[in-house]
Amino acid sequence: MSLKVTLADIARKLNTTAATVSRALNGDPSISEKMKQKIRDTARRMHYKPNKIASSLRRGHSGIIGVIIPSAEINFFGSVVHGIETLANTNGYNVLIYQSNELQETEVKGIETFLSARVDGILVSIAKETTDYSHFTAAKDSGIPIIFFDRSKDKIGIHSVVIDDFKGAYLATSHLIGQGYKRIAHISGPQHLAIFKNRLKGYQKALKDAGIPIQEEYIIKGNVSVESGRSATAQLLQLKKKPDAVFAVEDFTALGVIKELKEHHVRIPEDFGVIGFANESFGEYITPALSTMDQQTVEMGKHSFELLMKLMNNEISGHKEQKSCWNPCLYCGNQACVRKQ
Amino acid sequence: MSLKVTLADIARKLNTTAATVSRALNGDPSISEKMKQKIRDTARRMHYKPNKIASSLRRGHSGIIGVIIPSAEINFFGSVVHGIETLANTNGYNVLIYQSNELQETEVKGIETFLSARVDGILVSIAKETTDYSHFTAAKDSGIPIIFFDRSKDKIGIHSVVIDDFKGAYLATSHLIGQGYKRIAHISGPQHLAIFKNRLKGYQKALKDAGIPIQEEYIIKGNVSVESGRSATAQLLQLKKKPDAVFAVEDFTALGVIKELKEHHVRIPEDFGVIGFANESFGEYITPALSTMDQQTVEMGKHSFELLMKLMNNEISGHKEQKSCWNPCLYCGNQACVRKQ
DNA sequence: TTGAAAGCGCTAACAG
DNA sequence: CTGTTAGCGCTTTCAA
């Protein structure tokens, strides 16, 4: 029942003032060791819990950074958040997570909530359904450091941390080519999101560089879901000239491909190659195991937080949008990042 | 750059006072409609964002509830949190998520963080590694409403929301018996957590009721991981009298079982039956599909929040510990909750 | 229906 | 080294 022990309570007991107690507890060097000891002891005995609300109000910052993710049920994001937390915690920040559930409306609410909570910075991975970005630019204009990770939007003046999706897709496609597949299809994602657009481009470039003509009928628009992988595959299998491999824009789509192929009794990888782009851990669980591009999620989280911290500390400008391709293996072209069971 | 618009700013522009503006914005009926309109308009034009920090300090509560989960990378928890958020948001609460990463130390930090943030209530699913529970009881004693969900600890005076694990395990085991398996093993989880202990008991009761003798060598201690499923299975396959089915305490363990069986070229389900206890979505992705007990995660989240809200509103006593078995299908014994592909 | 004033718990500036 | 004072932005009496 001692929830409301305050600095003043401690001060009273010790015949000193709240200011002194505050300083002692915050390790201010101007306070004598003896006094500090005494104060720390009684604070502990009285079960004092600092009231961060009051502290934040006074200091003008909250020590919280907000992260908006589309869904915690996508392993990929859980893992990135883990990376964010690791670094945030060692830097004295706490992380507040908000799920947009892939909805623009909820995403807007998330931004508002964070603004009201006076978080010190915001990290966001854009919802699939979001097509208007004014809540982000408004937040930025109001002065709060904000950075996109993974799902980003170019040319609206907000920094982003992404892997080199173009190169990743290029490598994934090249991987299939290297395995001897000749007619490689691609199931893409919503083209208004940069990551999906760049993966399509990487796919096309890889084919071109290998001297394989690009067939429009081999490029199917998907929407990042198991179902869209299935229907796209069904569609591909009806073509006169069927493809013999698919590069799926992400793992859920790839899973749909595999499910559909199985129903048609197409053998993987003998008759048909499949590669995804990692966002799920189930890749290693399904049979046949899914080849996929590793995204080093934890690293992505750490890098995102680092960039955000620089922004919060004014170490980098918020003005000219900068894109941070952090993934060493994708960046340097090391093929090791093709993860295959 | 208008991050610091305050009530006073608005008041000044309108020749009134912060008090009036506050009242208007909060819909106080004593303010005239005309004034309210005017105030709302200028607030919008000035891009006013209420400072919840200040508001919380004054009101004495934050409107935030804290949720501690072992890991956001376990789908199960993401899904429960989703349920929590749904209800929390419609009730005007925001949800702050903290990951313990299955570590007691981090879990303690989470509690402290929440206490400092003055959250209005805490929901926690206990970390695997936690063996001392004093941080929970201390929090409760300090007056904050706290409730366990899924991973709970009995007899320390804290309410919990769990499914009827005993009955769930009973059903899972009976399911295997019903399919004709005769020698059913069980790979269990850490016995200091109630859910795992109860699942073991349910397994034993099901065997007993079916007149099948309980063999100690068929009960393997696991630690809730793919690896432990594998090694336990390897161990079981070395027995003179091999089992012909396994009830795994949760899905990661079940996955390990399947992987190991595959390596030994044991056919599922023809030669060997496997059933898990749902905490992952990969059940539907692997081959052969994993039979598993559905836990209705979203419902669990909603129910947890409801109970917490009752506690926060003093509608139930925090004194006598109460266990809330909320899962209708497990509770009523409806076999439909065995989810099989 | 509105204003004036006080205060939530903390920290920073200024004294001493 | 420590105390005094003021104020962060908001809400809530109490008055008018």
Side-chain angles (χ1 to χ4, degrees), chain B residues 6-7 19 22 48 54 58-59:
Chain B
T6 74
L7 290 183
S22 167
Y48 170 73
R58 180 62 232 248
R59 293 187 129 118

Side-chain angles (χ1 to χ4, degrees), chain A residues 121-168:
Chain A
I122 298 178
L123 252 21
V124 18
S125 196
I126 305 179
K128 204 162 68 179
E129 305 296 340
T130 298
T131 51
D132 177 282
Y133 306 91
S134 54
H135 48 303
F136 299 130
T137 50
K140 191 204 160 192
D141 291 344
S142 83
I144 185 147
I146 180 168
I147 284 176
F148 292 136
F149 67 94
D150 190 54
R151 304 233 203 117
S152 68
K153 171 69 183 167
D154 289 348
K155 310 211 176 82
I156 57 172
I158 295 179
H159 299 311
S160 58
V161 175
V162 293
I163 58 163
D164 190 335
D165 290 284
F166 174 85
K167 185 158 264 169

Side-chain angles (χ1 to χ4, degrees), chain A residues 79-264:
Chain A
S79 186
V80 175
V81 168
H82 187 190
I84 295 171
E85 279 177 345
T86 309
L87 227 53
N89 288 339
T90 64
N91 283 281
Y93 284 93
N94 277 114
V95 175
L96 201 152
I97 301 165
Y98 200 99
Q99 301 189 54
S100 68
N101 296 319
E102 301 282 14
L103 265 26
Q104 172 164 330
E105 187 189 337
T106 316
E107 195 176 68
V108 171
K109 254 192 72 177
I111 292 283
E112 277 169 7
T113 304
F114 283 153
L115 252 28
S116 278
R118 295 297 192 264
V119 298
D120 296 336
I122 298 178
L123 252 21
V124 18
S125 196
I126 305 179
K128 204 162 68 179
E129 305 296 340
T130 298
T131 51
D132 177 282
Y133 306 91
S134 54
H135 48 303
F136 299 130
T137 50
K140 191 204 160 192
D141 291 344
S142 83
I144 185 147
I146 180 168
I147 284 176
F148 292 136
F149 67 94
D150 190 54
R151 304 233 203 117
S152 68
K153 171 69 183 167
D154 289 348
K155 310 211 176 82
I156 57 172
I158 295 179
H159 299 311
S160 58
V161 175
V162 293
I163 58 163
D164 190 335
D165 290 284
F166 174 85
K167 185 158 264 169
Y170 185 96
L171 290 177
T173 309
S174 301
H175 179 79
L176 288 173
I177 296 171
Q179 307 235 308
Y181 299 103
K182 303 291 183 203
R183 298 182 306 284
I184 300 170
H186 174 53
I187 305 173
S188 64
Q191 292 297 300
H192 62 273
L193 288 174
I195 56 169
F196 300 133
K197 199 163 64 184
N198 289 332
R199 289 180 193 174
L200 172 57
K201 284 186 187 159
Y203 157 80
Q204 292 169 322
K205 185 66 163 40
L207 291 185
K208 193 179 288 176
D209 285 359
I212 300 175
I214 293 167
Q215 312 238 23
E216 279 310 317
E217 57 182 7
Y218 280 1
I219 302 176
I220 313 273
K221 287 191 209 319
N223 75 340
V224 187
S225 67
V226 176
E227 191 36 47
S228 101
R230 287 194 86 118
S231 61
T233 305
Q235 201 176 326
L236 287 169
L237 291 179
Q238 282 181 344
L239 293 175
K240 281 194 304 287
K241 204 177 165 85
K242 294 183 184 53
D244 63 358
V246 159
F247 160 48
V249 75
E250 49 81 58
D251 284 350
F252 284 111
T253 304
L255 180 63
V257 174
I258 289 177
K259 287 193 153 192
E260 191 68 18
L261 287 174
K262 275 192 182 170
E263 267 183 26
H264 289 263

